[in-house]
Amino acid sequence: MRVPERPDLATGPAPALACRDLVLGHGSAPVLSGLNLTLPPGRTLALLGPSGSGKTTLLHAIAGFVTPMSGSVLLGGRDVHGVPPERRAVGVVFQSCALWPHLTVLDTVAYPLRRAGASGGVARDQAAELLSRLKISSLAARKPAELSGGEQQRVALARALARRPDVFLFDEPTAHLDAHLRTVVLDEIARQRGEGGAAAVYATHDATEALAIADLVAVLHGGGLAQLGTPEEVYAAPVDEQVARLTGPVSVFDGALVRPDWACLGGPLTATVAEVRFRGPHTDYLLSTPRGCVLVRSAGPPEHEPGASVGWTLSRRVTLSPEVR
C-alpha cells in the first residue's frame, strides 16, 4: 500500500493532534498499523473508510478509551500516553451517545460549562443558546429516555460543543439525522470550530460528507492509512481503485479510473445506454462501450432510455501505475 508524501501543514511547533507510528488493535490483533498524521489547529480531518477499517478505534485512542499497542498520540504537542480521558482537552460525540439518564437536556449541556467555571445561571443560559442553534430548544426539560435516537445524538453534540475543547472527535454524528438537520449540525460544527480555533476529527463512511466538511481526508483501508490529502487531491488523484471507490462513484474504463463528472453526453465516442438512474438534480447513465462500461452524469431529468445509442466524450481519467492496480 503506497501513501503519497505530503508536506506538513502544521503552522506552528504544536499541532492540535499528531499520531506517530501508531498501532491500534483489539487484543493482540492489529486493526491499524504504522499510522502517521498531523492535524494543525483549526483544521478538520475526515476519517473515511468502510466498517471495520479502524475509524472508531482511532477516535477512541485519541480520546483515551483505547491504549495503543505501540506508537504515540500527541495533543497540543504533548504525549498523552497514560492521561485519562477526562484530562484530555477533547470533546467527543460517539455513536453511543452516553447521556446521563438523570439529567435533563439543558443540565446535560450546561454540565461541561459549569465544570469550566461558569456559574449555574450563566452555564444554563449558554446551554440554552446552543440548544437553540441546534434546533432542540423544545427538548430542554426532557431526559434521555424521552428522546429519539436522533435527538439524543444532537444533545450529545451540543454537550461536546459546550465544552469548547482543543480537539473535537465526531463518530458519524449525523448518521440518524434527516437531510435538513444534517445541514444544521454540520454548519454548527463549522461555526464552533471557526470561533474557537479547535481542530476536529470526523469519522464517516459517507464520501460526500467527508469531502464537504474536511480540510484533510485520511482514507483508511487494508489495515492502514491508504491516502492522506486534501479533499480535492483524494477525489481527483486516488492512489488506487479502493481509495477511488471509497471517495465517490468511479468506473474502471479502458484500464483507468473515471469519475461520472469527468465524462458527458454528446461527442465523438459512441455507446449504448445500459442503465438510467435519476438522482434528483442530475441523472446518471451507465454506458456500455467496446472498451468497458462508464458512468456519466448529466444535469436534469433523464433524456435517454436504456437501449438508446448516444454520443459521449471524456475530459480526463486517472491511469494507475502497475504496482497499485
Side-chain angles (χ1 to χ4, degrees):
M1 184 181 300
R2 179 171 62 88
V3 180
E5 294 295 328
R6 289 187 42 76
D8 191 344
L9 296 184
T11 56
L17 167 70
C19 298
R20 297 288 179 254
D21 300 319
L22 196 61
V23 179
L24 303 173
H26 303 298
S28 59
V31 173
L32 283 172
S33 298
L35 186 69
N36 286 281
L37 58 83
T38 299
L39 180 63
R43 303 289 187 93
T44 295
L45 170 71
L47 302 177
L48 181 63
S51 297
S53 61
K55 302 187 300 295
T56 298
T57 301
L58 177 55
L59 290 182
H60 283 187
I62 297 168
F65 301 121
V66 167
T67 300
M69 300 173 72
S70 63
S72 56
V73 174
L74 289 80
L75 294 173
R78 177 191 177 199
D79 190 331
V80 291
H81 179 75
V83 177
E86 65 272 15
R87 293 181 56 196
R88 300 189 183 195
V90 298
V92 299
V93 182
F94 291 148
Q95 292 176 8
S96 174
C97 298
L99 300 178
W100 299 298
H102 62 289
L103 293 183
T104 66
V105 167
L106 184 63
D107 288 336
T108 294
V109 179
Y111 179 77
L113 294 166
R114 294 178 64 183
R115 287 205 62 181
S119 66
V122 170
R124 290 171 67 87
D125 287 346
Q126 292 179 355
E129 180 184 353
L130 191 50
L131 295 181
S132 176
R133 290 202 298 265
L134 289 172
K135 313 299 183 186
I136 51 175
S137 294
S138 61
L139 308 179
R142 297 186 191 179
K143 293 184 177 180
E146 303 172 89
L147 304 176
S148 69
E151 289 170 341
Q152 289 188 25
Q153 200 163 32
R154 278 185 284 163
V155 173
L157 174 61
R159 180 179 60 184
L161 294 174
R163 189 177 179 185
R164 298 187 180 274
D166 294 333
V167 179
F168 287 113
L169 304 177
F170 299 110
D171 192 357
E172 305 200 42
T174 66
H176 302 294
L177 305 180
D178 61 32
H180 170 68
L181 290 176
R182 183 177 297 117
T183 300
V184 170
V185 167
L186 293 177
D187 287 347
E188 183 61 23
I189 289 172
R191 195 185 74 82
Q192 289 276 342
R193 190 201 66 179
E195 285 184 358
V201 182
Y202 192 102
T204 182
H205 66 273
D206 186 323
T208 300
E209 195 167 81
L211 297 176
I213 197 172
D215 301 298
L216 291 170
V217 177
V219 184
L220 305 179
H221 77 71
L225 178 61
Q227 186 169 358
L228 176 66
T230 66
E232 295 81 3
E233 288 169 343
V234 297
Y235 183 81
V239 296
D240 59 33
E241 183 179 340
Q242 286 180 296
V243 169
R245 295 194 181 280
L246 286 169
T247 52
V250 68
S251 304
V252 179
F253 173 77
D254 196 23
L257 299 175
V258 177
R259 299 287 192 191
D261 46 306
W262 297 350
C264 64
L265 296 179
L269 303 175
T270 60
T272 301
V273 177
E275 295 181 20
V276 179
R277 306 164 186 170
F278 179 52
R279 305 296 191 187
H282 62 264
T283 298
D284 288 342
Y285 297 92
L286 183 63
L287 305 183
S288 176
T289 82
R291 292 185 290 176
C293 290
V294 62
L295 193 64
V296 176
R297 181 157 293 166
S298 181
E303 296 180 347
H304 304 281
E305 296 182 352
S309 179
V310 296
W312 69 289
T313 189
L314 183 63
S315 61
R316 66 161 299 181
R317 60 185 182 176
V318 173
T319 302
L320 300 177
S321 56
E323 68 266 21
V324 296
R325 286 184 183 173

